[in-house]
Amino acid sequence: MRSIALPATAVTGALLPQNLERLRRPLALAVIQKGRVATQMPGFADKLPDEALRAVADYIYSPPPKLPEWGMAEIEGSRVVHNDAAQLPARPVFKADPLNIFVVVETGDHHVTILDGDRFERLARFPSRFALHGGPKFSPDGRFVYFASRDGWVSKYDIWNLKMIAEVRAGINTRNLAASSDGRFIMVGNYLPHTLVALNAHDLRPIRVLAVKDDKGRTSRVSAVYDARPRKSFVAALKDIKEVWELTYDEHAPPVYQGLVHDFRLGEGVPVKGPFPPRRIVLDDYLDDFFFIPDYSALVGAARDGVKGQVVNLNVRRRIATVDLPGLPHLGSGISWSYQGRTVLATPNLREAVVSVIDLKDWKIIRQIPTLGPGFFMRSHEKTPYAWVDAFNSKHRDTMQLIDKRTLEVAHRITPEPGKTAAHVEFSRDGRYALVSIWDMDGALVVYDSRTLKEVKRIPMKRPSGKYNVHNKITLSAGTSH
Ligand code: DHE
């Protein structure tokens, strides 16, 4: 038995037995000893004696007397309204192009910068919640941006007025959020508790808390939730049960899309009622992350410990193919482009020094492009021939590689600051500039001319983890994450 404090500032998932079902004890011990690749978990073998490491492993598998609760009442009780967006002018207070704004998340000191994407000058810098993670999401017109922090806070910011609108704590450990394409809803996927939380996008009022359970009552963390614009639905992959859920927000969808209220049972046979009824797709394996194919009829997902990726068709509601994906593909960072008349998906790999290129017609790997090291993020733009990828998890982490989308070969290498991690690229609206992060407290955004590959400007920043261009995001540019 043990007692637990609410992990208000936890940066990873809560280490509770419920969240460790996919990790066997010997492996957990190995993680405590050696750390875990592509996470913030370091190894402790050189810091603690063996028996202490074993005691930590035993501790995390012992159930707490009471699980922390975070339901409708707690969520509503946490809500803070800073400004009423309806009372603020519906036009930008600045002269810069509102569609060429970059939102930059600086995790070094937990701030966000709003950057003019033509002049590369700051329009605002404000404190964020602790440890923002995942891409912020935008309202359809690009006026509002929504952030999620690892400890559950969702914030809505008005870019046009440079003001925070509202904040709410939707979970204790949150994975990510999605914004509906009609601008009405936010869906939050949590690790703790095992819930999906629907919020009103206007004022972040909670609408519904969905317990994430299979028909045997087994609960699950949410791996990731994304908006599927043409389907007017949210799609969530689950971490501990082999299912994908689709939650429609289309009132006009035929009943089959409305979650089959009658075929889904919560626990002891209680039918799910209310908005966002989940339409379940049962799979053979877990999905830790996924990528939609361009028309959103299917997704390509993979389990962290799996050897095959799964292609799941959302219409026929089953796996239709598998993909040989070695290592640990980071599908959430996948991008697509047209190569020799076919659409391909390319994904970096968190464990192997390779970018995998998959033909979306027959799901075959057409190229494993060798890279300098395992990478985290990949980006391109319709107007550039290159896809930029980092070597984040390697000794070459200071170097970006530019893959030529026409030849599938690495064509250039760029080292913005020797010895400091370079990662995460985003292009300006017209694709002319590529902005690269130097991941350091004493870091920067480095702006490159995407044609000449010459540096144009360097803006000092505190570990700018990611940057997001309003236009590229709201138009679902094929070169960026959605
Ligand atoms: Fe992320 C996005 C999962 C560790 C920085 N990361 C995402 C998304 C998922 C994910 C599912 C897509 C969500 C979205 O955009 O809505 N990340 C995971 C993991 O499973 C992993 C490996 C382990 C974990 O700790 O959860 C992980 N991620 C990290 C980090 O250690 C990074 C490098 C530093 C940090 O801030 O935590 C990190 N992840 C990011 C960033 C994005 C992201 C910057 C947004 C990418 C984008 O361009 O959209």
Tab-separated table of all heavy atoms in Angstrom, residues 17-55:
chain	number	residue	atom	x	y	z
A	17	PRO	N	-0.328	1.128	-10.997
A	17	PRO	CA	-0.433	-0.210	-11.584
A	17	PRO	C	-1.350	-0.232	-12.807
A	17	PRO	O	-1.071	-0.915	-13.789
A	17	PRO	CB	-1.006	-1.055	-10.445
A	17	PRO	CG	-0.657	-0.314	-9.199
A	17	PRO	CD	-0.580	1.133	-9.551
A	18	GLN	N	-2.433	0.564	-12.771
A	18	GLN	CA	-3.374	0.607	-13.898
A	18	GLN	C	-2.702	1.037	-15.196
A	18	GLN	O	-3.168	0.726	-16.286
A	18	GLN	CB	-4.487	1.645	-13.655
A	18	GLN	CG	-5.450	1.362	-12.573
A	18	GLN	CD	-4.915	1.704	-11.192
A	18	GLN	OE1	-3.720	1.889	-10.975
A	18	GLN	NE2	-5.801	1.723	-10.234
A	19	ASN	N	-1.642	1.838	-15.070
A	19	ASN	CA	-0.985	2.351	-16.273
A	19	ASN	C	0.230	1.520	-16.665
A	19	ASN	O	0.949	1.867	-17.584
A	19	ASN	CB	-0.550	3.807	-16.048
A	19	ASN	CG	-1.732	4.734	-15.949
A	19	ASN	OD1	-2.858	4.336	-16.241
A	19	ASN	ND2	-1.487	5.962	-15.553
A	20	LEU	N	0.458	0.433	-15.921
A	20	LEU	CA	1.678	-0.341	-16.171
A	20	LEU	C	1.367	-1.739	-16.693
A	20	LEU	O	2.243	-2.602	-16.715
A	20	LEU	CB	2.507	-0.443	-14.883
A	20	LEU	CG	3.040	0.902	-14.359
A	20	LEU	CD1	3.605	0.744	-12.959
A	20	LEU	CD2	4.105	1.460	-15.296
A	21	GLU	N	0.107	-1.938	-17.110
A	21	GLU	CA	-0.276	-3.302	-17.502
A	21	GLU	C	0.507	-3.818	-18.696
A	21	GLU	O	0.689	-5.022	-18.862
A	21	GLU	CB	-1.778	-3.362	-17.777
A	21	GLU	CG	-2.536	-3.446	-16.474
A	21	GLU	CD	-4.019	-3.582	-16.647
A	21	GLU	OE1	-4.449	-3.902	-17.773
A	21	GLU	OE2	-4.738	-3.353	-15.675
A	22	ARG	N	0.976	-2.909	-19.547
A	22	ARG	CA	1.730	-3.366	-20.720
A	22	ARG	C	3.230	-3.451	-20.454
A	22	ARG	O	3.998	-3.731	-21.360
A	22	ARG	CB	1.454	-2.441	-21.904
A	22	ARG	CG	0.090	-2.687	-22.505
A	22	ARG	CD	-0.184	-1.712	-23.619
A	22	ARG	NE	0.820	-1.741	-24.667
A	22	ARG	CZ	0.964	-0.796	-25.580
A	22	ARG	NH1	0.168	0.243	-25.557
A	22	ARG	NH2	1.881	-0.893	-26.499
A	23	LEU	N	3.633	-3.166	-19.226
A	23	LEU	CA	5.070	-3.180	-18.915
A	23	LEU	C	5.319	-4.215	-17.821
A	23	LEU	O	4.872	-4.043	-16.686
A	23	LEU	CB	5.493	-1.785	-18.426
A	23	LEU	CG	6.972	-1.550	-18.212
A	23	LEU	CD1	7.730	-1.599	-19.532
A	23	LEU	CD2	7.201	-0.188	-17.557
A	24	ARG	N	6.006	-5.320	-18.193
A	24	ARG	CA	6.264	-6.348	-17.188
A	24	ARG	C	7.327	-5.855	-16.202
A	24	ARG	O	8.174	-5.037	-16.549
A	24	ARG	CB	6.699	-7.653	-17.870
A	24	ARG	CG	5.504	-8.346	-18.542
A	24	ARG	CD	5.880	-9.614	-19.239
A	24	ARG	NE	6.813	-9.396	-20.337
A	24	ARG	CZ	8.084	-9.787	-20.331
A	24	ARG	NH1	8.574	-10.439	-19.300
A	24	ARG	NH2	8.872	-9.547	-21.360
A	25	ARG	N	7.242	-6.394	-14.963
A	25	ARG	CA	8.129	-5.896	-13.897
A	25	ARG	C	9.618	-5.910	-14.258
A	25	ARG	O	10.312	-4.926	-13.999
A	25	ARG	CB	7.913	-6.691	-12.618
A	25	ARG	CG	6.871	-6.061	-11.734
A	25	ARG	CD	6.764	-6.842	-10.454
A	25	ARG	NE	5.431	-6.683	-9.941
A	25	ARG	CZ	5.153	-6.386	-8.681
A	25	ARG	NH1	6.102	-6.252	-7.808
A	25	ARG	NH2	3.916	-6.250	-8.294
A	26	PRO	N	10.137	-6.988	-14.846
A	26	PRO	CA	11.580	-6.964	-15.168
A	26	PRO	C	11.918	-5.825	-16.136
A	26	PRO	O	12.981	-5.202	-16.036
A	26	PRO	CB	11.828	-8.327	-15.829
A	26	PRO	CG	10.663	-9.187	-15.424
A	26	PRO	CD	9.515	-8.280	-15.175
A	27	LEU	N	10.971	-5.540	-17.045
A	27	LEU	CA	11.232	-4.445	-17.989
A	27	LEU	C	11.170	-3.095	-17.275
A	27	LEU	O	11.942	-2.185	-17.570
A	27	LEU	CB	10.214	-4.477	-19.126
A	27	LEU	CG	10.502	-5.490	-20.224
A	27	LEU	CD1	9.394	-5.491	-21.257
A	27	LEU	CD2	11.829	-5.157	-20.900
A	28	ALA	N	10.229	-2.996	-16.330
A	28	ALA	CA	10.123	-1.745	-15.563
A	28	ALA	C	11.434	-1.510	-14.804
A	28	ALA	O	11.962	-0.390	-14.766
A	28	ALA	CB	8.956	-1.821	-14.597
A	29	LEU	N	11.971	-2.585	-14.240
A	29	LEU	CA	13.235	-2.461	-13.509
A	29	LEU	C	14.347	-2.007	-14.463
A	29	LEU	O	15.154	-1.123	-14.146
A	29	LEU	CB	13.587	-3.804	-12.844
A	29	LEU	CG	14.876	-3.825	-12.037
A	29	LEU	CD1	14.828	-2.815	-10.889
A	29	LEU	CD2	15.167	-5.215	-11.490
A	30	ALA	N	14.327	-2.583	-15.673
A	30	ALA	CA	15.353	-2.195	-16.659
A	30	ALA	C	15.227	-0.717	-17.016
A	30	ALA	O	16.231	-0.023	-17.207
A	30	ALA	CB	15.226	-3.065	-17.905
A	31	VAL	N	13.980	-0.219	-17.095
A	31	VAL	CA	13.778	1.203	-17.415
A	31	VAL	C	14.323	2.067	-16.274
A	31	VAL	O	14.996	3.075	-16.507
A	31	VAL	CB	12.278	1.502	-17.662
A	31	VAL	CG1	12.045	3.005	-17.764
A	31	VAL	CG2	11.798	0.805	-18.927
A	32	ILE	N	14.047	1.643	-15.030
A	32	ILE	CA	14.543	2.421	-13.882
A	32	ILE	C	16.084	2.411	-13.890
A	32	ILE	O	16.732	3.410	-13.596
A	32	ILE	CB	13.978	1.851	-12.553
A	32	ILE	CG1	12.446	2.009	-12.544
A	32	ILE	CG2	14.583	2.549	-11.347
A	32	ILE	CD1	11.743	1.204	-11.467
A	33	GLN	N	16.650	1.286	-14.306
A	33	GLN	CA	18.120	1.200	-14.333
A	33	GLN	C	18.716	2.011	-15.487
A	33	GLN	O	19.645	2.784	-15.307
A	33	GLN	CB	18.553	-0.264	-14.482
A	33	GLN	CG	18.311	-1.090	-13.228
A	33	GLN	CD	18.398	-2.581	-13.497
A	33	GLN	OE1	18.089	-3.046	-14.600
A	33	GLN	NE2	18.816	-3.338	-12.487
A	34	LYS	N	18.120	1.820	-16.689
A	34	LYS	CA	18.797	2.355	-17.891
A	34	LYS	C	18.102	3.553	-18.531
A	34	LYS	O	18.619	4.137	-19.486
A	34	LYS	CB	18.889	1.252	-18.954
A	34	LYS	CG	19.711	0.071	-18.491
A	34	LYS	CD	19.807	-0.944	-19.607
A	34	LYS	CE	20.075	-2.328	-19.048
A	34	LYS	NZ	19.358	-3.381	-19.680
A	35	GLY	N	16.868	3.891	-18.090
A	35	GLY	CA	16.126	4.967	-18.732
A	35	GLY	C	15.319	4.439	-19.899
A	35	GLY	O	15.332	3.234	-20.184
A	36	ARG	N	14.587	5.336	-20.562
A	36	ARG	CA	13.728	4.900	-21.662
A	36	ARG	C	13.945	5.797	-22.871
A	36	ARG	O	13.874	7.033	-22.750
A	36	ARG	CB	12.264	4.977	-21.211
A	36	ARG	CG	11.273	4.296	-22.123
A	36	ARG	CD	10.021	4.048	-21.293
A	36	ARG	NE	8.848	3.747	-22.055
A	36	ARG	CZ	8.460	2.512	-22.403
A	36	ARG	NH1	9.204	1.478	-22.097
A	36	ARG	NH2	7.347	2.322	-23.049
A	37	VAL	N	14.196	5.178	-24.001
A	37	VAL	CA	14.514	5.945	-25.213
A	37	VAL	C	13.359	6.874	-25.591
A	37	VAL	O	12.192	6.528	-25.411
A	37	VAL	CB	14.852	4.974	-26.379
A	37	VAL	CG1	13.637	4.221	-26.862
A	37	VAL	CG2	15.502	5.696	-27.530
A	38	ALA	N	13.708	8.071	-26.039
A	38	ALA	CA	12.749	9.069	-26.531
A	38	ALA	C	11.761	9.532	-25.472
A	38	ALA	O	10.663	9.974	-25.784
A	38	ALA	CB	12.003	8.553	-27.751
A	39	THR	N	12.110	9.403	-24.206
A	39	THR	CA	11.282	9.992	-23.158
A	39	THR	C	12.209	10.790	-22.246
A	39	THR	O	13.422	10.799	-22.431
A	39	THR	CB	10.572	8.920	-22.297
A	39	THR	OG1	11.551	8.285	-21.480
A	39	THR	CG2	9.856	7.884	-23.141
A	40	GLN	N	11.622	11.422	-21.235
A	40	GLN	CA	12.457	12.200	-20.322
A	40	GLN	C	12.930	11.352	-19.136
A	40	GLN	O	13.406	11.875	-18.141
A	40	GLN	CB	11.677	13.418	-19.851
A	40	GLN	CG	11.386	14.339	-21.020
A	40	GLN	CD	10.365	15.394	-20.701
A	40	GLN	OE1	10.016	15.610	-19.559
A	40	GLN	NE2	9.882	16.067	-21.724
A	41	MET	N	12.761	10.031	-19.222
A	41	MET	CA	13.138	9.132	-18.123
A	41	MET	C	14.623	8.772	-18.217
A	41	MET	O	15.048	8.058	-19.139
A	41	MET	CB	12.283	7.862	-18.209
A	41	MET	CG	12.674	6.803	-17.205
A	41	MET	SD	12.205	7.244	-15.508
A	41	MET	CE	12.984	5.924	-14.591
A	42	PRO	N	15.459	9.273	-17.263
A	42	PRO	CA	16.883	8.889	-17.277
A	42	PRO	C	17.085	7.558	-16.557
A	42	PRO	O	16.179	7.072	-15.880
A	42	PRO	CB	17.533	10.029	-16.481
A	42	PRO	CG	16.462	10.508	-15.540
A	42	PRO	CD	15.124	10.176	-16.152
A	43	GLY	N	18.252	6.958	-16.670
A	43	GLY	CA	18.573	5.737	-15.935
A	43	GLY	C	19.158	6.084	-14.569
A	43	GLY	O	19.799	7.124	-14.401
A	44	PHE	N	18.934	5.190	-13.565
A	44	PHE	CA	19.419	5.472	-12.218
A	44	PHE	C	20.433	4.434	-11.728
A	44	PHE	O	20.812	4.438	-10.566
A	44	PHE	CB	18.236	5.554	-11.240
A	44	PHE	CG	17.412	6.808	-11.434
A	44	PHE	CD1	16.344	6.822	-12.315
A	44	PHE	CD2	17.729	7.973	-10.758
A	44	PHE	CE1	15.594	7.977	-12.518
A	44	PHE	CE2	16.996	9.135	-10.950
A	44	PHE	CZ	15.929	9.140	-11.835
A	45	ALA	N	20.874	3.536	-12.633
A	45	ALA	CA	21.754	2.445	-12.214
A	45	ALA	C	23.037	2.965	-11.574
A	45	ALA	O	23.581	2.344	-10.656
A	45	ALA	CB	22.073	1.561	-13.406
A	46	ASP	N	23.524	4.111	-12.022
A	46	ASP	CA	24.779	4.630	-11.470
A	46	ASP	C	24.548	5.544	-10.267
A	46	ASP	O	25.488	6.106	-9.716
A	46	ASP	CB	25.557	5.366	-12.565
A	46	ASP	CG	24.731	6.460	-13.213
A	46	ASP	OD1	23.492	6.476	-13.001
A	46	ASP	OD2	25.308	7.307	-13.921
A	47	LYS	N	23.268	5.718	-9.878
A	47	LYS	CA	22.983	6.645	-8.779
A	47	LYS	C	22.433	5.937	-7.542
A	47	LYS	O	22.568	6.430	-6.430
A	47	LYS	CB	21.962	7.691	-9.230
A	47	LYS	CG	22.482	8.595	-10.335
A	47	LYS	CD	21.462	9.669	-10.702
A	47	LYS	CE	21.945	10.474	-11.888
A	47	LYS	NZ	21.925	9.692	-13.156
A	48	LEU	N	21.774	4.785	-7.738
A	48	LEU	CA	21.131	4.100	-6.619
A	48	LEU	C	21.619	2.661	-6.546
A	48	LEU	O	21.872	2.034	-7.581
A	48	LEU	CB	19.607	4.090	-6.820
A	48	LEU	CG	18.872	5.437	-6.748
A	48	LEU	CD1	17.404	5.258	-7.137
A	48	LEU	CD2	18.962	6.025	-5.345
A	49	PRO	N	21.720	2.110	-5.300
A	49	PRO	CA	22.103	0.700	-5.196
A	49	PRO	C	20.977	-0.194	-5.725
A	49	PRO	O	19.812	0.224	-5.800
A	49	PRO	CB	22.311	0.498	-3.693
A	49	PRO	CG	21.579	1.614	-3.028
A	49	PRO	CD	21.521	2.746	-3.995
A	50	ASP	N	21.352	-1.432	-6.021
A	50	ASP	CA	20.426	-2.400	-6.609
A	50	ASP	C	19.120	-2.560	-5.842
A	50	ASP	O	18.036	-2.559	-6.419
A	50	ASP	CB	21.131	-3.751	-6.677
A	50	ASP	CG	21.194	-4.222	-8.100
A	50	ASP	OD1	21.167	-3.339	-8.978
A	50	ASP	OD2	21.252	-5.448	-8.306
A	51	GLU	N	19.273	-2.667	-4.483
A	51	GLU	CA	18.045	-2.917	-3.709
A	51	GLU	C	17.099	-1.716	-3.758
A	51	GLU	O	15.867	-1.860	-3.744
A	51	GLU	CB	18.328	-3.390	-2.262
A	51	GLU	CG	19.135	-2.503	-1.353
A	51	GLU	CD	20.651	-2.594	-1.575
A	51	GLU	OE1	21.126	-3.092	-2.633
A	51	GLU	OE2	21.353	-2.127	-0.691
A	52	ALA	N	17.672	-0.513	-3.853
A	52	ALA	CA	16.817	0.682	-3.943
A	52	ALA	C	16.072	0.688	-5.285
A	52	ALA	O	14.886	1.017	-5.361
A	52	ALA	CB	17.662	1.942	-3.809
A	53	LEU	N	16.756	0.274	-6.355
A	53	LEU	CA	16.117	0.229	-7.684
A	53	LEU	C	14.957	-0.769	-7.654
A	53	LEU	O	13.868	-0.504	-8.171
A	53	LEU	CB	17.130	-0.168	-8.756
A	53	LEU	CG	18.296	0.814	-8.956
A	53	LEU	CD1	19.344	0.213	-9.881
A	53	LEU	CD2	17.800	2.136	-9.551
A	54	ARG	N	15.191	-1.923	-6.998
A	54	ARG	CA	14.132	-2.938	-6.898
A	54	ARG	C	12.949	-2.427	-6.076
A	54	ARG	O	11.791	-2.671	-6.397
A	54	ARG	CB	14.679	-4.221	-6.253
A	54	ARG	CG	15.338	-5.101	-7.253
A	54	ARG	CD	16.040	-6.286	-6.630
A	54	ARG	NE	17.169	-6.622	-7.444
A	54	ARG	CZ	17.063	-7.166	-8.660
A	54	ARG	NH1	15.891	-7.481	-9.141
A	54	ARG	NH2	18.135	-7.408	-9.386
A	55	ALA	N	13.273	-1.687	-5.006
A	55	ALA	CA	12.200	-1.157	-4.149
A	55	ALA	C	11.336	-0.167	-4.939
A	55	ALA	O	10.111	-0.144	-4.807
A	55	ALA	CB	12.803	-0.479	-2.923
